Amino acid sequence: MDSHKAELAYEFLPYLRAYTDGRIERLLGTEIVPPGFDPKTKVTSKDILILPDINVSARLYLPKIAKKKLPVLVYYHGGAFCLYSSSASIYHNFLNALVSNANVIAVSVNFRLAPERPLPIAYEDSWAALQWVASHYEGQGSETWLTEFVDFNRLFLAGDSSGANIAHNMAMLAGNPKAGFNVRIAGLALVQPYFWGFKAVGSEASNPLKKTVDRIWPLVSLSAPNKDDPRINPVGADAPSLSGLGCKRVLVCVAEKDIFRDRGWLYCETLRKCGWTGVVEYIESKGENHEFHLHYPGCQNAKDLIEYLAVFLNLESHPLSCL
């Protein structure tokens, strides 16, 4: 059958349409930009294929000042597990700004998307990418930007929205001794994290976006659509204790008008009470909504968010509480 004549299977507006022949039409997040030198930030980027057999890649970012060993940030993009990529213009621009401000090396992971590749594929790709980065520890590995410029005592994970969800799950996996991850994670930064659950939390029940958000997890995780799955509800009754989180510093950034705000706060409170021995910081951007920093990068709150993240990535010299 001609794909252009295939019948509509379902719509998930305003994000995508799925057709009976398996074709997915994405309505957002398709704008991409090539890597290269950014004259505004003086950051250089390049794409590298990590797992050729399954086409998992990453975009690497190198700041202008790279004369010493720098922190490395493994970043997971958002998009409800089904939109965007590491080459999406909004993520490329955001990481150029963050890398320049923080003076870090960044690895922006390009995992495979649902619904064509439903979860747990994005988690599996993300874990493989993290292991690839860690394989450069002690100067080993094939990527010179990682072997020459990275201080692996300062390995950070971060992401926004569903990417923050991935970053959390990677930190939980890294904290499990059975996973065999031998590189210490210095910190975890979660920007407006996408966590959810069957029972509404805080103001979720009255939020007009609740029905839309309720559709996401069953759509992207076809084999495990339960919205209390520990991967999407890390504070649920069946979730493992957050005391196993594989790092000692966490920054959670939320937006005041975001439907996910109360989940971010609950995550912090649970982390503080569960026996985890690290330090968690909570920052709320007043008057803002979900992903504001990507869509309105010039606003003061977006600039402040980048500053918070930059300080977090350089904690040895600048405690977050100084801001």
Side-chain angles (χ1 to χ4, degrees):
M1 177 184 293
D2 185 336
S3 61
H4 295 288
K5 297 181 180 179
E7 294 182 0
L8 185 68
Y10 64 85
E11 290 183 315
F12 183 34
L13 299 178
Y15 306 112
L16 57 81
R17 294 189 180 97
Y19 294 89
T20 53
D21 64 352
R23 181 170 60 95
I24 301 297
E25 179 187 7
R26 289 183 167 81
L27 307 176
L28 290 175
T30 58
E31 307 87 356
I32 62 174
V33 293
F37 178 73
D38 179 53
K40 181 178 180 180
T41 61
K42 306 299 189 292
V43 171
T44 302
S45 58
K46 65 180 179 180
D47 291 337
I48 185 167
L49 197 57
I50 296 175
L51 301 173
D53 292 344
I54 54 176
N55 200 33
V56 174
S57 62
R59 179 162 292 186
L60 277 60
Y61 293 82
L62 183 72
K64 177 183 178 181
I65 303 173
K67 297 179 181 179
K68 60 179 181 178
K69 296 286 188 177
L70 302 175
V72 59
L73 170 65
V74 179
Y75 195 87
Y76 302 101
H77 69 79
F81 299 101
C82 58
L83 299 173
Y84 296 104
S85 70
S86 60
S87 56
S89 57
I90 59 172
Y91 285 105
H92 182 71
N93 295 335
F94 171 71
L95 283 165
N96 274 331
L98 178 58
V99 165
S100 175
N101 193 295
N103 201 38
V104 299
I105 308 293
V107 179
S108 180
V109 179
N110 194 45
F111 47 85
R112 290 172 290 173
L113 299 177
E116 305 99 312
R117 301 292 186 269
L119 297 178
I121 287 177
Y123 293 124
E124 293 168 351
D125 291 352
S126 298
W127 180 245
L130 179 57
Q131 290 178 304
W132 175 81
V133 172
S135 72
H136 294 78
Y137 182 65
E138 296 183 337
Q140 301 174 352
S142 59
E143 175 47 54
T144 56
W145 284 10
L146 299 182
T147 56
E148 293 184 13
F149 301 117
V150 167
D151 174 5
F152 275 95
N153 290 316
R154 294 185 287 169
L155 168 63
F156 291 83
L157 306 184
D160 63 280
S161 193
S162 57
N165 174 288
I166 291 175
H168 157 76
N169 280 285
M170 296 304 99
M172 288 295 292
L173 188 54
N176 185 342
K178 295 181 180 179
F181 191 76
N182 297 321
V183 180
R184 181 180 69 90
I185 296 175
L188 170 68
L190 306 180
V191 179
Q192 300 146 34
Y194 164 47
F195 297 133
W196 204 239
F198 181 78
K199 185 178 180 180
V201 170
S203 61
E204 291 172 0
S206 59
N207 194 303
L209 291 176
K210 184 179 185 300
K211 290 183 179 180
T212 298
V213 177
D214 277 338
R215 288 189 63 190
I216 296 175
W217 187 254
L219 176 67
V220 300
S221 183
L222 301 179
S223 63
N226 182 357
K227 291 191 288 290
D228 282 326
D229 185 308
R231 295 170 296 181
I232 191 63
N233 187 2
V235 301
D238 296 328
S241 172
L242 292 182
S243 62
L245 194 68
C247 62
K248 293 302 181 184
R249 286 186 177 274
V250 173
L251 172 64
V252 178
C253 305
V254 301
E256 181 183 17
K257 296 181 179 181
D258 187 3
I259 190 172
F260 301 117
R261 182 196 66 170
D262 294 335
R263 296 273 173 180
W265 178 86
L266 180 59
Y267 178 90
C268 288
E269 289 302 295
T270 304
L271 198 54
R272 289 180 176 127
K273 298 175 182 177
C274 70
W276 180 69
T277 57
V279 176
V280 58
E281 297 276 353
Y282 175 87
I283 292 172
E284 182 172 319
S285 297
K286 300 298 182 182
E288 301 292 358
N289 216 318
H290 194 62
E291 303 284 51
F292 73 92
H293 62 293
L294 298 175
H295 300 291
Y296 306 101
C299 74
Q300 189 58 49
N301 279 338
K303 295 176 182 178
D304 290 344
L305 177 59
I306 284 183
E307 181 64 23
Y308 282 125
L309 291 168
V311 170
F312 183 73
L313 297 173
N314 291 275
L315 285 170
E316 287 83 356
S317 54
H318 301 287
L320 191 63
S321 58
C322 74
L323 291 182

